[in-house]
mmCIF file of all heavy atoms in Angstrom:
data_model
loop_
_atom_site.group_PDB
_atom_site.id
_atom_site.type_symbol
_atom_site.label_atom_id
_atom_site.label_comp_id
_atom_site.label_asym_id
_atom_site.label_seq_id
_atom_site.Cartn_x
_atom_site.Cartn_y
_atom_site.Cartn_z
ATOM 1 N N THR A 279 -4.595 -7.319 -4.667
ATOM 2 C CA THR A 279 -5.176 -6.476 -3.613
ATOM 3 C C THR A 279 -4.910 -5.005 -3.819
ATOM 4 O O THR A 279 -5.815 -4.170 -3.719
ATOM 5 C CB THR A 279 -4.632 -6.925 -2.243
ATOM 6 O OG1 THR A 279 -4.982 -8.296 -2.034
ATOM 7 C CG2 THR A 279 -5.211 -6.089 -1.106
ATOM 8 N N LEU A 280 -3.673 -4.668 -4.164
ATOM 9 C CA LEU A 280 -3.357 -3.249 -4.441
ATOM 10 C C LEU A 280 -4.166 -2.733 -5.617
ATOM 11 O O LEU A 280 -4.700 -1.618 -5.581
ATOM 12 C CB LEU A 280 -1.862 -3.121 -4.721
ATOM 13 C CG LEU A 280 -0.916 -3.068 -3.530
ATOM 14 C CD1 LEU A 280 0.535 -3.111 -3.991
ATOM 15 C CD2 LEU A 280 -1.166 -1.837 -2.689
ATOM 16 N N SER A 281 -4.284 -3.542 -6.654
ATOM 17 C CA SER A 281 -5.060 -3.128 -7.830
ATOM 18 C C SER A 281 -6.504 -2.885 -7.489
ATOM 19 O O SER A 281 -7.113 -1.916 -7.939
ATOM 20 C CB SER A 281 -4.933 -4.194 -8.943
ATOM 21 O OG SER A 281 -3.584 -4.315 -9.381
ATOM 22 N N GLN A 282 -7.086 -3.765 -6.665
ATOM 23 C CA GLN A 282 -8.480 -3.601 -6.260
ATOM 24 C C GLN A 282 -8.680 -2.324 -5.454
ATOM 25 O O GLN A 282 -9.637 -1.566 -5.698
ATOM 26 C CB GLN A 282 -8.939 -4.807 -5.448
ATOM 27 C CG GLN A 282 -9.139 -6.070 -6.249
ATOM 28 C CD GLN A 282 -9.460 -7.286 -5.375
ATOM 29 O OE1 GLN A 282 -8.985 -7.367 -4.248
ATOM 30 N NE2 GLN A 282 -10.262 -8.195 -5.892
ATOM 31 N N VAL A 283 -7.792 -2.077 -4.483
ATOM 32 C CA VAL A 283 -7.943 -0.895 -3.641
ATOM 33 C C VAL A 283 -7.783 0.384 -4.459
ATOM 34 O O VAL A 283 -8.576 1.341 -4.304
ATOM 35 C CB VAL A 283 -6.909 -0.937 -2.496
ATOM 36 C CG1 VAL A 283 -6.896 0.397 -1.719
ATOM 37 C CG2 VAL A 283 -7.210 -2.079 -1.546
ATOM 38 N N LEU A 284 -6.833 0.403 -5.374
ATOM 39 C CA LEU A 284 -6.638 1.575 -6.203
ATOM 40 C C LEU A 284 -7.819 1.800 -7.140
ATOM 41 O O LEU A 284 -8.240 2.952 -7.379
ATOM 42 C CB LEU A 284 -5.354 1.450 -7.011
ATOM 43 C CG LEU A 284 -4.045 1.513 -6.200
ATOM 44 C CD1 LEU A 284 -2.865 1.122 -7.060
ATOM 45 C CD2 LEU A 284 -3.866 2.909 -5.628
ATOM 46 N N ASP A 285 -8.393 0.704 -7.637
ATOM 47 C CA ASP A 285 -9.549 0.838 -8.525
ATOM 48 C C ASP A 285 -10.749 1.382 -7.766
ATOM 49 O O ASP A 285 -11.449 2.284 -8.245
ATOM 50 C CB ASP A 285 -9.897 -0.530 -9.099
ATOM 51 C CG ASP A 285 -11.179 -0.503 -9.937
ATOM 52 O OD1 ASP A 285 -11.209 0.157 -10.994
ATOM 53 O OD2 ASP A 285 -12.168 -1.130 -9.481
ATOM 54 N N ILE A 286 -10.981 0.872 -6.552
ATOM 55 C CA ILE A 286 -12.117 1.381 -5.752
ATOM 56 C C ILE A 286 -11.902 2.851 -5.425
ATOM 57 O O ILE A 286 -12.830 3.669 -5.508
ATOM 58 C CB ILE A 286 -12.269 0.542 -4.470
ATOM 59 C CG1 ILE A 286 -12.615 -0.913 -4.801
ATOM 60 C CG2 ILE A 286 -13.345 1.145 -3.545
ATOM 61 C CD1 ILE A 286 -12.544 -1.841 -3.606
ATOM 62 N N ALA A 287 -10.698 3.210 -5.035
ATOM 63 C CA ALA A 287 -10.383 4.593 -4.655
ATOM 64 C C ALA A 287 -10.588 5.517 -5.862
ATOM 65 O O ALA A 287 -11.081 6.638 -5.722
ATOM 66 C CB ALA A 287 -8.967 4.693 -4.125
ATOM 67 N N ALA A 288 -10.210 5.069 -7.038
ATOM 68 C CA ALA A 288 -10.344 5.911 -8.241
ATOM 69 C C ALA A 288 -11.823 6.175 -8.547
ATOM 70 O O ALA A 288 -12.186 7.243 -9.065
ATOM 71 C CB ALA A 288 -9.692 5.220 -9.450
ATOM 72 N N ARG A 289 -12.695 5.220 -8.232
ATOM 73 C CA ARG A 289 -14.103 5.372 -8.494
ATOM 74 C C ARG A 289 -14.884 6.055 -7.391
ATOM 75 O O ARG A 289 -15.896 6.718 -7.635
ATOM 76 C CB ARG A 289 -14.744 3.993 -8.776
ATOM 77 C CG ARG A 289 -14.283 3.352 -10.075
ATOM 78 C CD ARG A 289 -15.037 2.048 -10.374
ATOM 79 N NE ARG A 289 -14.573 0.938 -9.539
ATOM 80 C CZ ARG A 289 -15.202 0.469 -8.479
ATOM 81 N NH1 ARG A 289 -16.346 1.019 -8.080
ATOM 82 N NH2 ARG A 289 -14.732 -0.559 -7.799
ATOM 83 N N ARG A 290 -14.412 5.890 -6.151
ATOM 84 C CA ARG A 290 -15.212 6.329 -4.995
ATOM 85 C C ARG A 290 -14.713 7.611 -4.340
ATOM 86 O O ARG A 290 -15.425 8.194 -3.531
ATOM 87 C CB ARG A 290 -15.193 5.234 -3.937
ATOM 88 C CG ARG A 290 -15.824 3.903 -4.350
ATOM 89 C CD ARG A 290 -17.342 4.009 -4.389
ATOM 90 N NE ARG A 290 -17.956 2.713 -4.654
ATOM 91 C CZ ARG A 290 -19.253 2.527 -4.788
ATOM 92 N NH1 ARG A 290 -20.072 3.538 -4.651
ATOM 93 N NH2 ARG A 290 -19.730 1.337 -5.018
ATOM 94 N N THR A 291 -13.502 8.052 -4.647
ATOM 95 C CA THR A 291 -12.920 9.209 -3.963
ATOM 96 C C THR A 291 -12.459 10.253 -4.970
ATOM 97 O O THR A 291 -12.378 9.984 -6.166
ATOM 98 C CB THR A 291 -11.738 8.807 -3.070
ATOM 99 O OG1 THR A 291 -10.596 8.522 -3.902
ATOM 100 C CG2 THR A 291 -12.039 7.560 -2.242
ATOM 101 N N THR A 292 -12.100 11.405 -4.442
ATOM 102 C CA THR A 292 -11.585 12.485 -5.299
ATOM 103 C C THR A 292 -10.097 12.353 -5.568
ATOM 104 O O THR A 292 -9.570 13.049 -6.410
ATOM 105 C CB THR A 292 -11.839 13.835 -4.612
ATOM 106 O OG1 THR A 292 -11.114 13.877 -3.361
ATOM 107 C CG2 THR A 292 -13.304 14.040 -4.331
ATOM 108 N N GLY A 293 -9.428 11.460 -4.860
ATOM 109 C CA GLY A 293 -8.011 11.273 -5.033
ATOM 110 C C GLY A 293 -7.155 12.272 -4.304
ATOM 111 O O GLY A 293 -5.927 12.283 -4.430
ATOM 112 N N GLU A 294 -7.772 13.131 -3.483
ATOM 113 C CA GLU A 294 -7.019 14.170 -2.762
ATOM 114 C C GLU A 294 -6.247 13.600 -1.594
ATOM 115 O O GLU A 294 -5.208 14.154 -1.210
ATOM 116 C CB GLU A 294 -7.970 15.259 -2.282
ATOM 117 C CG GLU A 294 -8.643 16.030 -3.415
ATOM 118 C CD GLU A 294 -9.611 17.082 -2.897
ATOM 119 O OE1 GLU A 294 -9.758 17.176 -1.647
ATOM 120 O OE2 GLU A 294 -10.235 17.789 -3.715
ATOM 121 N N LYS A 295 -6.733 12.502 -1.013
ATOM 122 C CA LYS A 295 -6.044 11.895 0.120
ATOM 123 C C LYS A 295 -5.291 10.653 -0.342
ATOM 124 O O LYS A 295 -5.888 9.744 -0.933
ATOM 125 C CB LYS A 295 -7.061 11.533 1.213
ATOM 126 C CG LYS A 295 -7.764 12.731 1.791
ATOM 127 C CD LYS A 295 -8.732 12.344 2.892
ATOM 128 C CE LYS A 295 -9.439 13.569 3.473
ATOM 129 N NZ LYS A 295 -10.415 13.186 4.537
ATOM 130 N N PRO A 296 -3.984 10.584 -0.130
ATOM 131 C CA PRO A 296 -3.171 9.520 -0.719
ATOM 132 C C PRO A 296 -3.396 8.158 -0.031
ATOM 133 O O PRO A 296 -3.869 8.067 1.094
ATOM 134 C CB PRO A 296 -1.747 10.003 -0.470
ATOM 135 C CG PRO A 296 -1.844 10.880 0.739
ATOM 136 C CD PRO A 296 -3.177 11.562 0.630
ATOM 137 N N ILE A 297 -3.029 7.119 -0.765
ATOM 138 C CA ILE A 297 -2.950 5.782 -0.241
ATOM 139 C C ILE A 297 -1.467 5.475 -0.020
ATOM 140 O O ILE A 297 -0.680 5.454 -0.972
ATOM 141 C CB ILE A 297 -3.547 4.755 -1.228
ATOM 142 C CG1 ILE A 297 -5.069 4.985 -1.345
ATOM 143 C CG2 ILE A 297 -3.286 3.315 -0.766
ATOM 144 C CD1 ILE A 297 -5.745 4.151 -2.407
ATOM 145 N N ARG A 298 -1.097 5.262 1.245
ATOM 146 C CA ARG A 298 0.303 5.046 1.611
ATOM 147 C C ARG A 298 0.385 3.767 2.445
ATOM 148 O O ARG A 298 -0.221 3.671 3.501
ATOM 149 C CB ARG A 298 0.868 6.225 2.387
ATOM 150 C CG ARG A 298 0.931 7.529 1.566
ATOM 151 C CD ARG A 298 1.336 8.703 2.431
ATOM 152 N NE ARG A 298 1.443 9.931 1.632
ATOM 153 C CZ ARG A 298 1.535 11.156 2.142
ATOM 154 N NH1 ARG A 298 1.581 11.314 3.475
ATOM 155 N NH2 ARG A 298 1.618 12.224 1.354
ATOM 156 N N LEU A 299 1.148 2.818 1.935
ATOM 157 C CA LEU A 299 1.223 1.506 2.564
ATOM 158 C C LEU A 299 2.675 1.046 2.685
ATOM 159 O O LEU A 299 3.359 0.885 1.675
ATOM 160 C CB LEU A 299 0.467 0.470 1.732
ATOM 161 C CG LEU A 299 -1.023 0.749 1.448
ATOM 162 C CD1 LEU A 299 -1.511 -0.153 0.321
ATOM 163 C CD2 LEU A 299 -1.847 0.488 2.707
ATOM 164 N N THR A 300 3.136 0.887 3.925
ATOM 165 C CA THR A 300 4.368 0.179 4.180
ATOM 166 C C THR A 300 3.995 -0.971 5.097
ATOM 167 O O THR A 300 3.561 -0.761 6.243
ATOM 168 C CB THR A 300 5.424 1.094 4.829
ATOM 169 O OG1 THR A 300 5.836 2.057 3.866
ATOM 170 C CG2 THR A 300 6.614 0.299 5.298
ATOM 171 N N CYS A 301 4.161 -2.214 4.620
ATOM 172 C CA CYS A 301 3.643 -3.380 5.315
ATOM 173 C C CYS A 301 4.704 -4.460 5.431
ATOM 174 O O CYS A 301 5.547 -4.592 4.545
ATOM 175 C CB CYS A 301 2.430 -3.951 4.575
ATOM 176 S SG CYS A 301 1.076 -2.782 4.315
ATOM 177 N N VAL A 302 4.627 -5.186 6.509
ATOM 178 C CA VAL A 302 5.455 -6.389 6.733
ATOM 179 C C VAL A 302 4.538 -7.506 7.191
ATOM 180 O O VAL A 302 3.693 -7.289 8.061
ATOM 181 C CB VAL A 302 6.571 -6.150 7.773
ATOM 182 C CG1 VAL A 302 7.407 -7.398 7.952
ATOM 183 C CG2 VAL A 302 7.458 -4.974 7.367
ATOM 184 N N PHE A 303 4.698 -8.674 6.591
ATOM 185 C CA PHE A 303 3.847 -9.803 6.975
ATOM 186 C C PHE A 303 4.628 -11.121 6.834
ATOM 187 O O PHE A 303 5.662 -11.180 6.163
ATOM 188 C CB PHE A 303 2.566 -9.822 6.125
ATOM 189 C CG PHE A 303 2.716 -9.618 4.668
ATOM 190 C CD1 PHE A 303 2.657 -10.678 3.763
ATOM 191 C CD2 PHE A 303 2.922 -8.330 4.138
ATOM 192 C CE1 PHE A 303 2.781 -10.497 2.420
ATOM 193 C CE2 PHE A 303 3.067 -8.139 2.767
ATOM 194 C CZ PHE A 303 2.991 -9.214 1.917
ATOM 195 N N THR A 304 4.118 -12.153 7.465
ATOM 196 C CA THR A 304 4.826 -13.427 7.511
ATOM 197 C C THR A 304 3.871 -14.567 7.724
ATOM 198 O O THR A 304 2.807 -14.427 8.345
ATOM 199 C CB THR A 304 5.898 -13.431 8.610
ATOM 200 O OG1 THR A 304 6.601 -14.676 8.606
ATOM 201 C CG2 THR A 304 5.270 -13.236 9.994
ATOM 202 N N GLU A 305 4.298 -15.762 7.243
ATOM 203 C CA GLU A 305 3.582 -17.006 7.491
ATOM 204 C C GLU A 305 4.352 -17.837 8.491
ATOM 205 O O GLU A 305 4.005 -18.994 8.740
ATOM 206 C CB GLU A 305 3.343 -17.767 6.191
ATOM 207 C CG GLU A 305 4.454 -18.671 5.716
ATOM 208 C CD GLU A 305 5.716 -17.970 5.247
ATOM 209 O OE1 GLU A 305 6.154 -16.987 5.853
ATOM 210 O OE2 GLU A 305 6.314 -18.485 4.292
ATOM 211 N N GLY A 306 5.379 -17.272 9.102
ATOM 212 C CA GLY A 306 6.173 -17.971 10.104
ATOM 213 C C GLY A 306 7.494 -18.534 9.580
ATOM 214 O O GLY A 306 8.277 -19.070 10.361
ATOM 215 N N GLU A 307 7.743 -18.378 8.272
ATOM 216 C CA GLU A 307 8.974 -18.879 7.689
ATOM 217 C C GLU A 307 9.809 -17.782 7.011
ATOM 218 O O GLU A 307 11.006 -17.724 7.148
ATOM 219 C CB GLU A 307 8.690 -19.978 6.678
ATOM 220 C CG GLU A 307 8.023 -21.227 7.278
ATOM 221 C CD GLU A 307 8.916 -21.928 8.280
ATOM 222 O OE1 GLU A 307 10.147 -21.854 8.125
ATOM 223 O OE2 GLU A 307 8.375 -22.543 9.221
ATOM 224 N N LYS A 308 9.117 -16.905 6.283
ATOM 225 C CA LYS A 308 9.773 -15.819 5.575
ATOM 226 C C LYS A 308 9.102 -14.498 5.969
ATOM 227 O O LYS A 308 7.956 -14.490 6.427
ATOM 228 C CB LYS A 308 9.654 -15.992 4.051
ATOM 229 C CG LYS A 308 10.313 -17.262 3.514
ATOM 230 C CD LYS A 308 10.065 -17.401 2.018
ATOM 231 C CE LYS A 308 10.718 -18.665 1.465
ATOM 232 N NZ LYS A 308 10.440 -18.828 0.032
ATOM 233 N N LEU A 309 9.834 -13.420 5.793
ATOM 234 C CA LEU A 309 9.272 -12.088 5.968
ATOM 235 C C LEU A 309 9.020 -11.434 4.620
ATOM 236 O O LEU A 309 9.902 -11.477 3.742
ATOM 237 C CB LEU A 309 10.208 -11.186 6.782
ATOM 238 C CG LEU A 309 10.381 -11.483 8.265
ATOM 239 C CD1 LEU A 309 11.490 -10.633 8.875
ATOM 240 C CD2 LEU A 309 9.064 -11.247 9.019
ATOM 241 N N TYR A 310 7.851 -10.900 4.448
ATOM 242 C CA TYR A 310 7.504 -10.182 3.219
ATOM 243 C C TYR A 310 7.294 -8.685 3.572
ATOM 244 O O TYR A 310 6.703 -8.388 4.628
ATOM 245 C CB TYR A 310 6.208 -10.733 2.639
ATOM 246 C CG TYR A 310 6.272 -12.186 2.248
ATOM 247 C CD1 TYR A 310 6.055 -13.189 3.197
ATOM 248 C CD2 TYR A 310 6.556 -12.574 0.936
ATOM 249 C CE1 TYR A 310 6.131 -14.527 2.865
ATOM 250 C CE2 TYR A 310 6.624 -13.919 0.598
ATOM 251 C CZ TYR A 310 6.410 -14.886 1.565
ATOM 252 O OH TYR A 310 6.481 -16.225 1.235
ATOM 253 N N ALA A 311 7.758 -7.802 2.708
ATOM 254 C CA ALA A 311 7.639 -6.373 2.995
ATOM 255 C C ALA A 311 7.536 -5.596 1.683
ATOM 256 O O ALA A 311 8.103 -5.988 0.668
ATOM 257 C CB ALA A 311 8.828 -5.890 3.823
ATOM 258 N N PHE A 312 6.797 -4.485 1.747
ATOM 259 C CA PHE A 312 6.739 -3.600 0.593
ATOM 260 C C PHE A 312 6.400 -2.190 1.050
ATOM 261 O O PHE A 312 5.864 -1.971 2.123
ATOM 262 C CB PHE A 312 5.712 -4.076 -0.454
ATOM 263 C CG PHE A 312 4.282 -3.871 -0.032
ATOM 264 C CD1 PHE A 312 3.584 -2.734 -0.380
ATOM 265 C CD2 PHE A 312 3.623 -4.829 0.743
ATOM 266 C CE1 PHE A 312 2.264 -2.528 0.001
ATOM 267 C CE2 PHE A 312 2.321 -4.650 1.137
ATOM 268 C CZ PHE A 312 1.634 -3.486 0.767
ATOM 269 N N ARG A 313 6.760 -1.239 0.170
ATOM 270 C CA ARG A 313 6.399 0.166 0.331
ATOM 271 C C ARG A 313 5.691 0.603 -0.935
ATOM 272 O O ARG A 313 6.185 0.359 -2.052
ATOM 273 C CB ARG A 313 7.629 1.058 0.546
ATOM 274 C CG ARG A 313 8.446 0.754 1.783
ATOM 275 C CD ARG A 313 9.730 1.585 1.790
ATOM 276 N NE ARG A 313 9.419 3.010 1.830
ATOM 277 C CZ ARG A 313 10.041 3.929 1.075
ATOM 278 N NH1 ARG A 313 10.983 3.567 0.199
ATOM 279 N NH2 ARG A 313 9.718 5.192 1.169
ATOM 280 N N PHE A 314 4.550 1.263 -0.755
ATOM 281 C CA PHE A 314 3.828 1.765 -1.920
ATOM 282 C C PHE A 314 3.050 3.005 -1.542
ATOM 283 O O PHE A 314 2.465 3.091 -0.438
ATOM 284 C CB PHE A 314 2.835 0.706 -2.447
ATOM 285 C CG PHE A 314 1.928 1.257 -3.544
ATOM 286 C CD1 PHE A 314 2.365 1.282 -4.846
ATOM 287 C CD2 PHE A 314 0.664 1.742 -3.218
ATOM 288 C CE1 PHE A 314 1.542 1.818 -5.843
ATOM 289 C CE2 PHE A 314 -0.163 2.265 -4.203
ATOM 290 C CZ PHE A 314 0.274 2.301 -5.511
ATOM 291 N N ALA A 315 2.989 3.978 -2.452
ATOM 292 C CA ALA A 315 2.142 5.160 -2.248
ATOM 293 C C ALA A 315 1.776 5.717 -3.606
ATOM 294 O O ALA A 315 2.613 5.810 -4.503
ATOM 295 C CB ALA A 315 2.891 6.232 -1.436
ATOM 296 N N ASP A 316 0.499 6.079 -3.752
ATOM 297 C CA ASP A 316 0.082 6.624 -5.041
ATOM 298 C C ASP A 316 0.532 8.053 -5.253
ATOM 299 O O ASP A 316 0.364 8.610 -6.365
ATOM 300 C CB ASP A 316 -1.431 6.475 -5.239
ATOM 301 C CG ASP A 316 -2.241 7.204 -4.159
ATOM 302 O OD1 ASP A 316 -1.677 7.935 -3.351
ATOM 303 O OD2 ASP A 316 -3.485 7.024 -4.163
ATOM 304 N N ASP A 317 1.112 8.672 -4.209
ATOM 305 C CA ASP A 317 1.666 9.998 -4.356
ATOM 306 C C ASP A 317 3.202 9.990 -4.266
ATOM 307 O O ASP A 317 3.849 11.042 -4.180
ATOM 308 C CB ASP A 317 1.104 10.975 -3.312
ATOM 309 C CG ASP A 317 1.488 10.608 -1.872
ATOM 310 O OD1 ASP A 317 2.052 9.497 -1.669
ATOM 311 O OD2 ASP A 317 1.242 11.433 -0.970
ATOM 312 N N GLY A 318 3.791 8.775 -4.250
ATOM 313 C CA GLY A 318 5.236 8.678 -4.213
ATOM 314 C C GLY A 318 5.870 8.905 -2.869
ATOM 315 O O GLY A 318 7.102 9.048 -2.784
ATOM 316 N N GLN A 319 5.080 8.963 -1.788
ATOM 317 C CA GLN A 319 5.612 9.258 -0.468
ATOM 318 C C GLN A 319 5.293 8.147 0.536
ATOM 319 O O GLN A 319 4.647 8.350 1.549
ATOM 320 C CB GLN A 319 5.047 10.603 0.047
ATOM 321 C CG GLN A 319 5.444 11.787 -0.844
ATOM 322 C CD GLN A 319 4.927 13.103 -0.300
ATOM 323 O OE1 GLN A 319 5.094 13.415 0.893
ATOM 324 N NE2 GLN A 319 4.310 13.892 -1.138
ATOM 325 N N ALA A 320 5.745 6.969 0.208
ATOM 326 C CA ALA A 320 5.503 5.823 1.089
ATOM 327 C C ALA A 320 6.272 5.963 2.390
ATOM 328 O O ALA A 320 7.391 6.468 2.398
ATOM 329 C CB ALA A 320 5.913 4.532 0.397
ATOM 330 N N PRO A 321 5.692 5.565 3.524
ATOM 331 C CA PRO A 321 6.416 5.607 4.788
ATOM 332 C C PRO A 321 7.702 4.784 4.729
ATOM 333 O O PRO A 321 7.819 3.827 3.963
ATOM 334 C CB PRO A 321 5.408 4.995 5.790
ATOM 335 C CG PRO A 321 4.069 5.223 5.152
ATOM 336 C CD PRO A 321 4.305 5.094 3.694
ATOM 337 N N THR A 322 8.664 5.167 5.560
ATOM 338 C CA THR A 322 10.008 4.593 5.488
ATOM 339 C C THR A 322 10.021 3.123 5.915
ATOM 340 O O THR A 322 9.205 2.662 6.695
ATOM 341 C CB THR A 322 10.974 5.381 6.370
ATOM 342 O OG1 THR A 322 10.497 5.333 7.738
ATOM 343 C CG2 THR A 322 11.081 6.822 5.925
ATOM 344 N N LEU A 323 11.019 2.405 5.395
ATOM 345 C CA LEU A 323 11.354 1.067 5.847
ATOM 346 C C LEU A 323 12.766 0.761 5.439
ATOM 347 O O LEU A 323 13.222 1.124 4.348
ATOM 348 C CB LEU A 323 10.409 0.022 5.213
ATOM 349 C CG LEU A 323 10.505 -1.396 5.792
ATOM 350 C CD1 LEU A 323 10.043 -1.423 7.236
ATOM 351 C CD2 LEU A 323 9.692 -2.382 4.975
ATOM 352 N N TYR A 324 13.495 0.105 6.342
ATOM 353 C CA TYR A 324 14.892 -0.250 6.111
ATOM 354 C C TYR A 324 15.099 -1.743 6.320
ATOM 355 O O TYR A 324 14.332 -2.397 7.052
ATOM 356 C CB TYR A 324 15.810 0.533 7.073
ATOM 357 C CG TYR A 324 15.837 2.007 6.829
ATOM 358 C CD1 TYR A 324 14.859 2.848 7.380
ATOM 359 C CD2 TYR A 324 16.818 2.580 6.038
ATOM 360 C CE1 TYR A 324 14.875 4.208 7.146
ATOM 361 C CE2 TYR A 324 16.865 3.961 5.795
ATOM 362 C CZ TYR A 324 15.872 4.765 6.347
ATOM 363 O OH TYR A 324 15.885 6.113 6.094
#
């Protein structure tokens, strides 16, 4: 998913506005979390 979004953004945008993702998700048993930003400034998570 990240690869697809970055590929679309590289083709469709100028790249001036960053992609910043800090996400948490679950299926009811485990918690999954990540931080990612193409400009190195992902929102905080602890």
Side-chain angles (χ1 to χ4, degrees):
T279 300
L280 280 172
S281 297
Q282 288 175 327
V283 171
L284 290 170
D285 175 66
I286 297 169
R289 291 185 285 102
R290 297 286 187 182
T291 75
T292 62
E294 295 178 359
K295 297 181 180 180
I297 294 174
R298 295 173 179 168
L299 303 164
T300 291
C301 303
V302 180
F303 46 102
T304 181
E305 87 291 40
E307 297 297 331
K308 298 176 181 178
L309 288 173
Y310 299 84
F312 73 93
R313 298 174 62 224
F314 172 84
D316 60 7
D317 65 350
Q319 299 183 47
T322 60
L323 190 66
Y324 292 85

